[in-house]
Amino acid sequence: MSRTLVIAAHPDEPEIYAGGTAALLARAGHAVKFLTLTNGDAGHHVMERGPLARRRAEEAWRAADALGVVDYGIFDIHDGLLEPTVANRLRVLAEIRAWRPDVVIALHADGPGHPDNRAAGRLVEHAVAFCTTRNVEAGKPPLARQPVCLVMTDYASLGFHEPDLAVAVDPVIDAKLDGCLAHASQFLEYAPWQRGFLDKAPAEGDVAGGRAFVEEYWREFLVADERARPLLEKQYGADRAAGVRYAETFKVAEYGRQVGEGELRDLLGIFG
């Protein structure tokens, strides 16, 4: 069974951008870890940094339980202050070496949007370059080979994200939605306040209402779009793909170990 490491900038991003794939991997017996490179302590309109960071860590572990993720690491870096420095690169390198993943899923390194997100993508790209290099010290032994790396979309990369792979997540959509709802500070409070629909947010604990709310307002990260459709047909066949409603898409990164389509399918093991 494979080991997967999903690396993002803030708690709640692995869940909405790759939570379904993580849940499928977990159900197939793979070990999945989430890692965020900031603690998310800027993301609220009412709470102060310290209490918010503690709350978001608690939410992260509830999300992990919903998805079957076995570990959730959060760097002690303030939200909004992540930089692609050598020191942070070595921290990411140490995490990759410690988890020893077969697959790394990361954010796009270039483009618009939150500077933390782009910095997180760049840090992963640069860390992977040295994960097998013996003489680059990071406190953990080097890997025997580089992981296969996939790039997930985020809110700012939707316009230029060009996926190579689509994963049907219908069997685990409730787990993905519940993983998002575990981050109540974001999906029921801060993001609705930012985007002007806080008055429509259901109460925390309203599972059915919460799932419907996330699906309505985060639809672009849940429902298969026109870019996913031909990839779904390729992966699952036309008949099965026609019945798919929910999907996540990934681009095979230009960095990391390069594999053919068949080896990638076998490595993930979730397309049967």
Side-chain angles (χ1 to χ4, degrees):
M1 295 299 177
S2 70
R3 297 172 67 83
T4 297
L5 180 60
V6 183
I7 305 177
H10 311 94
D12 77 86
E13 289 169 347
E15 289 82 348
I16 189 62
Y17 302 139
T21 300
L24 286 172
L25 288 166
R27 290 190 182 187
H30 304 281
V32 182
K33 177 177 179 175
F34 287 170
L35 173 66
T36 68
L37 306 189
T38 79
N39 59 16
D41 64 356
H44 209 273
H45 54 299
V46 176
M47 297 185 69
E48 298 295 332
R49 280 190 184 271
L52 179 59
R54 292 189 290 273
R55 180 182 179 189
R56 296 197 70 178
E58 293 169 358
E59 291 175 338
W61 280 106
R62 288 197 291 272
D65 287 342
L67 295 168
V69 170
V70 298
D71 197 3
Y72 206 125
I74 300 174
F75 278 7
D76 56 344
I77 295 175
H78 289 305
D79 185 350
L81 302 183
L82 183 64
E83 294 285 351
T85 63
V86 172
N88 285 336
R89 180 201 305 165
L90 292 175
R91 289 187 69 179
V92 175
L93 177 59
E95 292 285 342
I96 293 172
R97 287 180 174 179
W99 188 247
R100 311 191 80 74
D102 302 287
V103 178
V104 169
I105 300 176
L107 291 165
H108 282 274
D110 299 306
H114 200 307
D116 287 351
N117 289 27
R118 304 290 75 83
R122 183 59 53 83
L123 284 164
V124 174
E125 180 179 352
H126 289 178
V128 168
F130 294 109
C131 65
T132 61
T133 305
R134 176 181 178 274
N135 288 337
V136 176
E137 297 288 347
K140 300 293 180 181
L143 303 184
R145 63 180 183 174
Q146 290 186 334
V148 174
C149 297
L150 303 176
V151 179
M152 57 188 168
T153 191
D154 70 356
Y155 75 97
S157 65
L158 283 168
F160 62 84
H161 179 65
E162 297 180 356
D164 303 302
L165 178 72
V167 178
V169 299
D170 297 64
V172 292
I173 190 59
D174 285 348
K176 175 172 179 170
L177 293 170
D178 291 347
C180 293
L181 288 168
H183 294 276
S185 68
Q186 305 304 298
F187 287 92
L188 300 181
E189 298 172 20
Y190 184 52
W193 173 81
Q194 274 189 315
R195 296 167 60 187
F197 49 82
L198 183 59
D199 60 317
K200 296 181 174 60
E204 186 174 355
D206 178 0
V207 175
R211 288 173 175 173
F213 182 74
V214 173
E215 180 165 352
E216 179 176 358
Y217 290 103
W218 283 267
R219 181 183 180 88
E220 63 269 38
F221 305 113
L222 296 163
V223 176
D225 64 13
E226 66 279 0
R227 286 177 291 187
R229 286 294 165 194
L231 297 171
L232 289 168
E233 292 183 7
K234 185 176 182 180
Q235 295 295 141
Y236 299 95
D239 289 344
R240 184 177 171 193
V244 172
R245 174 172 174 78
Y246 303 101
E248 293 170 351
T249 63
F250 304 92
K251 179 177 178 59
V252 177
E254 295 178 356
Y255 58 90
R257 184 162 59 91
Q258 301 298 300
V259 297
E261 292 182 9
E263 186 176 350
L264 179 59
R265 285 174 57 90
D266 292 345
L267 183 61
L268 294 172
I270 54 175
F271 297 105

